[in-house]
Amino acid sequence: MIELSPSRVEYKIADQTYLESLCITISSGMRVLDLSQRSDAFSRYCLFWGASVDKQIGVGHHYDVVHIDVNALSEKEFESSLEAIFRTLSANGVLLFGGEVAGQGKAWRQIGDGYLPSFANLKNKLNGHAWKMLGVVNNDVSTPNNHAQWMFFHVSVIKPTAFLLLGSPGVGKSTMARRHFSHLPVVQGDQIYKAIFDGKLTVSQQFREEIQSLFDPCRILRMTLSLFEKGYFDELMDVWLQNAKYQDVVIDSYVPPKYHKRVRDRFSDAGYVAIDMRWELSKTMCSKRAAEENVSVFMRGNSPLVEERVSRRFSLAAATGFIRKLISR
């Protein structure tokens, strides 16, 4: 549990300026942990917008937003707080804080009852996390710390990236994965289907039986569309996520376009940065059904196009012979 002793730091920034500078949207249902003792303005702001607010870490709780007061923490307290906070953040949670920060030097100095970190020191402490400095605000009144400025930060866990290659069969998904993502693990849709078909992956009996009845490596498009339309989308996403193992990963599998957003949302909700990769490429491969129909027409020998060409050829030959006879006379 994070415990902060009451601070007697004299703050020099108006609540409205402070809240605006945090640049955070709070919505109903969010869980917020407010560890700052600067004022109760942030807690009141969150409650106003329908969030629940804790003032200390609850057992088993995960938070969408954690708010701390950096000027109330020593350097060691800040480091230990980061460790505890990131264990409590939800997958898409954010730590935010604003405080006086020295633009020069590398020290984390104590000034009176508070602390003044340097920007360089803060950056060093935040290495290993995804962070953004939102802006700088000057003090509202003249103080002995005029050499410092108010800086505001959002900090979150660095998320793994899921590169989603979801295009139609034949557009080069697997080639793209081999050429540009050879350093990353690849979850391939056809291999996942084969593993389920062979009983090597744990899924529901109904899902396995459905795949066993549909499985054809040459008809992945038809099988995937059928599975999604029968309500197996979420179970297939669970299998993909289990095999992704919460690391940078490539997903190489056909997904009908109307489901692309749902795939992105599932990976985003699981804590990934989901990148839907799309590109235009002339296809050289038709569907299995189209190939069967084309060959069937060929085998019957009644292609309108062939008949038209043959008719034209004979007509031209007849016309040529007629002209030659006229000339010979």
Side-chain angles (χ1 to χ4, degrees), residues 82-156:
L82 283 183
E83 294 178 7
I85 287 168
F86 280 106
R87 288 196 297 267
T88 68
L89 279 179
S90 62
N92 293 306
V94 61
L95 163 67
L96 56 104
F97 61 87
E100 283 191 295
V101 178
Q104 298 180 349
K106 298 181 179 180
W108 194 296
R109 296 186 291 128
Q110 182 171 2
I111 298 180
D113 293 320
Y115 298 89
L116 181 68
S118 68
F119 182 59
N121 202 323
L122 265 179
K123 286 200 302 181
N124 183 57
K125 296 290 185 294
L126 297 176
N127 279 344
H129 305 289
W131 64 274
K132 173 72 174 177
M133 188 183 76
L134 306 175
V136 176
V137 176
N138 292 322
N139 289 332
D140 289 347
V141 298
S142 178
T143 75
N145 295 335
N146 280 344
H147 61 285
Q149 293 177 304
W150 280 82
M151 298 184 184
F152 296 83
F153 297 82
H154 280 203
V155 190
S156 59

Side-chain angles (χ1 to χ4, degrees), residues 176-191:
M176 185 75 70
R178 287 193 301 269
R179 289 190 60 195
H180 302 291
F181 298 100
S182 59
H183 60 294
L184 294 180
V186 179
V187 174
Q188 291 187 311
D190 53 351
Q191 292 183 3

